[in-house]
Amino acid sequence: MATAQKARTTSTTLALTETKSLLFTKNLFRAMVSSISYMRNLFPDDCYTDATVGNLQGFKKLRPENDQVAKLIEWIERGVFAALEEKYLSSIVFEIYEGCTGRDSTAGQGTPSKVVESYTFDVQYPESLSGNPDFIDPDQFTKEELKRQW
């Protein structure tokens, strides 16, 4: 009985740790994209609001105040985060381009001509803790091993 209780408790703890890690990663990515786009004046000031991330204050958070911002937020929330949750994502590249050429270049709809800045965010998933936590044998991990992986 005690072993079954210990297994359930460890499994639940691992699931919560993985959930918290995913939430932290999402919030960190949101904060980075918002901060980069704010510092580079990619969108008007009314597209941002003041935000707090953890104990850190003074961040600017993107708001869907126009179609371009709404499209970026949707790409992050439905594309990037869906791939992150399914553990398909290995890296995210956020690039800022200078100028557009071709059709609708005056509206920013053409082909980007030159990369000005590029940010790559690599994602790693611990192999031993991926998948359904219900199938993890808690006795195979020591406390030190779990701390090292997370």
Side-chain angles (χ1 to χ4, degrees):
M1 179 73 174
T3 304
Q5 179 65 32
K6 181 181 174 186
R8 262 195 316 275
T9 302
T10 303
S11 179
T12 302
T13 302
L14 291 174
L16 288 175
T17 302
E18 190 169 348
T19 301
K20 286 181 181 179
S21 178
L22 179 62
L23 181 62
F24 176 77
T25 301
K26 287 179 177 182
N27 286 334
L28 184 61
F29 187 71
R30 283 182 190 110
M32 288 186 287
V33 169
S34 292
S35 295
I36 292 166
S37 66
Y38 180 75
M39 290 186 295
R40 300 299 178 241
N41 295 315
L42 297 183
F43 305 110
D45 284 345
D46 65 342
C47 293
Y48 299 91
T49 186
D50 292 327
T52 300
V53 177
N55 293 332
L56 302 173
Q57 298 177 350
F59 284 96
K60 295 293 185 180
K61 180 182 173 187
L62 277 169
R63 298 185 308 165
E65 292 296 315
N66 68 34
D67 289 342
Q68 289 178 327
V69 176
K71 196 178 291 187
L72 176 61
I73 291 171
E74 182 177 356
W75 172 77
I76 292 169
E77 297 291 332
R78 293 189 181 180
V80 173
F81 292 165
L84 191 62
E85 289 167 4
E86 295 296 324
K87 300 179 183 173
Y88 297 144
L89 197 62
S90 61
S91 65
I92 305 162
V93 178
F94 182 67
E95 294 182 330
I96 300 172
Y97 289 85
E98 176 180 88
C100 290
T101 61
R103 190 174 74 101
D104 295 327
S105 61
T106 57
Q109 302 286 330
T111 304
S113 59
K114 178 182 174 187
V115 175
V116 179
E117 296 178 37
S118 180
Y119 302 88
T120 302
F121 307 98
D122 292 324
V123 180
Q124 294 180 340
Y125 309 96
E127 287 181 34
S128 58
L129 295 179
S130 63
N132 188 340
D134 293 335
F135 295 103
I136 294 174
D137 178 10
D139 295 327
Q140 71 181 333
F141 299 108
T142 64
K143 190 175 185 178
E144 290 75 27
E145 177 68 13
L146 290 173
K147 284 182 180 178
R148 185 186 67 76
Q149 292 184 14
W150 288 97

